[in-house]
Amino acid sequence: MTTAELTIFESMESNVRGYCRAWPTLFDTAQGAWLRDASGRDYLDFFAGAGALNYGHNNPVLKSALLDYIARDGITHGLDMSTVAKRELLETMEQVLLSPRGLEYKVQFPGPTGANAVESALKLARKITGRTTILNFTNAFHGMTLGALSVTGNAAKRAGAGVPLVHVNPMPYDGYVEGADFTWMERVLDDNSSGVEKPAAVIVETVQGEGGVNVARHEWLRALADLCAARGILLIVDDVQMGCGRTGPFFSFETAGITPDIVTLSKSISGYGMPMALVLMRPELDQWAPGEHNGTFRGNNPAFVTAKVSLEHFWSDRKLEESTLAKGEQIRKSFEALSSEYKGISTRGRGMVQGLVFEDASQASKVCRIGFEKGLIVETSGAEDQVVKLLPPLTITDDELSHGLSILTDAVHTIREGR
Ligand SMILES: Cc1ncc(COP(=O)(O)O)c(C=O)c1O
């Protein structure tokens, strides 16, 4: 790839662009777990659109449903009008997702991004409870709009708001401090003179993806759910990145045995990388007035079509969940081999979100850079970018996964030993 082919991005596109700096090539086509650039070079994708492509690029089953829908002039833009595509999606969600899990949720279609789903959830929680404060967690990431940013931890991202981010109270996430449990949180919530106002809601990720692949234990999540239930605090699980099967089951909270009051979904919910988001809420919490939260692009009907087909295709049985857990194990073993070979490297994750954590943070970026040179797309996460974060498509083959893991292993060897 010549730099001339990238010149227009430097001259015309805003400085705000990010990923293109880490992967300086001109991507053109993609299929399954592979991206191809304009010069014909292939890259194995361990990033999957930041978790928006859990079923890979241009999945043929979804593509064919999408092409059929477009060919018959199916509605593309539908605001929140009732459409056949939306009806079929809701029916499929009920049959495939909610009813088999004993979940009863009403479904809101907010604007088509994760941040929009989070904004809706926060607004709704405040409206229902009449309270203003939200409890969030250290290292959380919930999006870049003001409300979502206010419950996000990262200082650089928060600084971008340009206004005070208020009405939140950060609490330590599981593992943030040694031996931390909910003793302190319970104490301040139950103490009228603690200075911590009774919150409307707690918002939590079961695994913090952007925050550095921090994994909350199931018992910690259960204790959090109990704490909220006992005090009339709404529990919002932000499943934008960890939902849609990333950790194994469709909802990342299933294995913890908790039922959140409100759930946010986006990223892989359309299945095809198309913009779409959902807020699920217990039926009695649906206290919205008509149009109280709206948005022009709530009705991305082609995304509803691929969302419906991806639910039918991938979630009518447990095959994908089982294979995700098996592949997660494959990644974990490969990472554990590295962490036992070298000091200063550790590993953590759940299902197919796995992190390789470097004490010397600069080494994580070096691994990703070498990976790119060898044809692998993988990013860092965490406060210091100290974690190589793996988010391969869940549909990646075992051979492709092994290939990418060997590139990563070689990259670590190169950095640590110059071999
Ligand atoms: C947990 C979580 N919530 C919300 C968001 C924001 O989603 P979006 O970028 O679509 O606004 C993200 C994005 O990475 C996320 O990981």
Side-chain angles (χ1 to χ4, degrees), residues 145-198:
T145 51
L146 285 187
L149 208 46
S150 73
V151 284
T152 288
N154 185 286
K157 293 192 169 75
R158 291 175 67 86
V163 292
L165 296 170
V166 290
H167 307 306
V168 288
N169 237 315
M171 295 283 161
Y173 193 69
D174 193 16
Y176 185 73
V177 281
E178 193 80 19
D181 57 13
F182 289 104
T183 314
W184 187 74
M185 196 158 152
E186 284 172 346
R187 182 74 203 274
V188 294
L189 287 173
D190 296 339
D191 176 359
N192 278 339
S193 66
S194 68
V196 175
E197 278 173 33
K198 184 168 179 184

Side-chain angles (χ1 to χ4, degrees), residues 113-115 141-143 205 210 238 240-241 267:
T113 63
F141 182 78
H142 297 289
E205 301 153 271
E210 301 306 295
D238 181 351
V240 164
Q241 188 164 146
K267 291 204 190 267

Side-chain angles (χ1 to χ4, degrees), residues 223-244:
L224 177 64
D226 290 347
L227 178 155
C228 289
R231 290 165 183 79
I233 300 167
L234 296 173
L235 178 63
I236 304 168
V237 169
D238 181 351
D239 236 3
V240 164
Q241 188 164 146
M242 295 305 146
C244 305

Side-chain angles (χ1 to χ4, degrees), residues 308-383:
K308 174 209 159 220
V309 178
S310 55
L311 291 180
E312 280 170 349
H313 187 72
F314 291 109
W315 295 101
S316 293
D317 57 32
R318 301 196 64 177
K319 285 199 195 104
L320 182 67
E321 175 175 350
E322 283 158 12
S323 106
T324 298
L325 295 177
K327 285 174 191 152
E329 206 43 29
Q330 194 184 338
I331 304 171
R332 197 182 57 76
K333 282 194 184 130
S334 161
F335 281 5
E336 271 179 1
L338 286 169
S339 65
S340 49
E341 194 174 350
Y342 297 109
K343 283 207 172 72
I345 300 182
S346 58
T347 176
R348 57 191 184 222
R350 180 173 283 150
M352 277 177 84
V353 50
Q354 296 285 337
L356 194 59
V357 189
F358 289 82
E359 252 168 44
D360 172 356
S362 69
Q363 294 181 348
S365 310
K366 284 185 196 149
V367 166
C368 294
R369 202 176 55 239
I370 296 174
F372 179 71
E373 285 160 13
K374 303 233 158 99
L376 184 73
I377 303 290
V378 62
E379 73 161 343
T380 58
S381 82

